[in-house]
Amino acid sequence: MTQETVISPKQRIRIDWAELHRYRELFYYFAWRDLKVRYKQSVMGVGWAVFQPLATMLVFTLFFHEVAGIGSGDVPYTVFSFSGLLYWNLFSTGLLRASNSLVDNQGVITKIYFPRVIPVVSSTIVALVDFLVAFVLLVALMAYYGIAPGVAGLLFLIPSILLTMAAATGFGLLFATLNAKYRDVRQALPFFVQTALFVTPVIYPIALVPDSYQWALYLNPMTGVLDGFRAWVLGEGEVNAALIWLGVLTTAVACVAGLAYFRSREREFADYL
């Protein structure tokens, strides 16, 4: 009696959770390997996760607050900008690492089969670890300035991190697929991410933007995250919940579109790479 195996086409959106569970150890391996590579032979080790946003915060405080006179309401500008940089770094680092993950793992992808989504998602873990390490310094700064989040702020922390990670992963799936075929993405994306920092209210409050244009900034998922964090955790400004949902909608669209495009080209990755 012969055994017949039927290979049916995969649906573009559906996620095979059973298959991902079988390959869960590979996910752990990729995430742990990326962490070790990032800090291997580094004198400061995880200290870089704190040093980079801290140094950037000091530069921003000097030039944008002291020289340009950008205010931050009742919250010290150091806390205001540092909190913005933490979330922005979580998004931008996760996005860039996810976008390059297929090319970085081409040696494995071209030799054996495993769910290609694993290296894309696992690559964002490094950004999350950096965020959590640097978040300790943010808590210390808040304690120094006597800032204590309320219940709403504590409840917002986990959703804000999940929304940022989802946005980075959704866009990461899209750009990882493009990057597998068009290596221009690897060169162009860092420039656009760097530019996007200045159209995201990381170093300035959203109140400085005219009301008629604020909705456009809220299409950026990070605008809602930063606005919500500063209002609910730092107690600065008010939250327009309806506009924050625009960012949630953008994230949902990015995840669905990114996953659909990724799945439609998944079989061709080995040929591209």
Side-chain angles (χ1 to χ4, degrees):
M1 182 178 180
T2 60
Q3 182 177 359
E4 182 179 356
T5 301
V6 179
I7 302 177
S8 51
K10 297 180 179 180
Q11 298 180 12
R12 289 188 176 185
I13 301 297
R14 190 179 69 84
I15 299 175
D16 190 342
W17 295 106
E19 184 182 52
L20 291 179
H21 185 264
R22 289 197 301 273
Y23 284 91
R24 63 188 182 281
E25 292 185 358
L26 189 60
F27 177 88
Y28 303 145
Y29 168 77
F30 277 136
W32 180 243
R33 181 205 59 183
D34 290 343
L35 282 171
K36 288 199 300 183
V37 169
R38 178 169 173 78
Y39 298 116
K40 185 179 181 181
Q41 295 181 327
S42 172
V43 176
M44 291 182 60
V46 295
W48 285 109
V50 177
F51 175 79
Q52 292 175 349
L54 179 62
T56 308
M57 178 267 287
L58 293 174
V59 172
F60 283 176
T61 301
L62 175 62
F63 288 97
F64 291 103
H65 180 60
E66 299 295 338
V67 177
I70 294 178
S72 54
D74 296 329
V75 176
Y77 191 82
T78 50
V79 179
F80 180 89
S81 59
F82 191 73
S83 61
L85 284 168
L86 286 194
Y87 276 95
W88 178 255
N89 286 347
L90 174 60
F91 171 75
S92 61
T93 304
L95 170 60
L96 292 175
R97 293 190 66 87
S99 301
N100 294 325
S101 59
L102 294 180
V103 177
D104 292 341
N105 290 284
Q106 59 180 318
V108 182
I109 292 174
T110 55
K111 289 182 174 61
I112 60 174
Y113 172 78
F114 58 89
R116 306 312 193 200
V117 73
I118 286 181
V120 179
V121 179
S122 66
S123 63
T124 62
I125 298 300
V126 173
L128 179 61
V129 172
D130 285 353
F131 172 85
L132 295 176
V133 172
F135 198 83
V136 176
L137 178 58
L138 176 61
V139 172
L141 285 173
M142 292 171 60
Y144 177 79
Y145 288 107
I147 301 173
V151 176
L154 294 175
L155 294 176
F156 182 71
L157 285 177
I158 300 300
S160 66
I161 296 172
L162 292 178
L163 183 61
T164 305
M165 292 289 291
T169 304
F171 285 107
L173 285 168
L174 177 64
F175 286 111
T177 307
L178 290 171
N179 193 25
K181 188 173 184 179
Y182 307 104
R183 301 303 166 80
D184 309 76
V185 175
R186 194 182 186 97
Q187 306 299 327
L189 189 58
F191 167 74
F192 286 108
V193 170
Q194 189 176 23
T195 304
L197 168 67
F198 296 99
V199 293
T200 305
V202 174
I203 56 179
Y204 55 86
I206 189 71
L208 290 183
V209 180
D211 294 343
S212 57
Y213 296 109
Q214 287 187 9
W215 67 270
L217 265 66
Y218 275 101
L219 289 173
N220 178 349
M222 296 312 302
T223 299
V225 169
L226 296 179
D227 206 26
F229 183 87
R230 285 162 178 167
W232 285 317
V233 178
L234 302 182
E236 172 55 33
E238 298 180 353
V239 177
N240 189 329
L243 289 178
I244 288 181
W245 279 105
L246 276 179
V248 177
L249 178 62
T250 303
T251 302
V253 171
C255 289
V256 172
L259 182 60
Y261 187 51
F262 185 90
R263 298 279 289 178
S264 69
R265 295 290 183 270
E266 189 174 10
R267 294 180 179 181
E268 303 167 1
F269 287 156
D271 298 328
Y272 291 153
L273 298 172

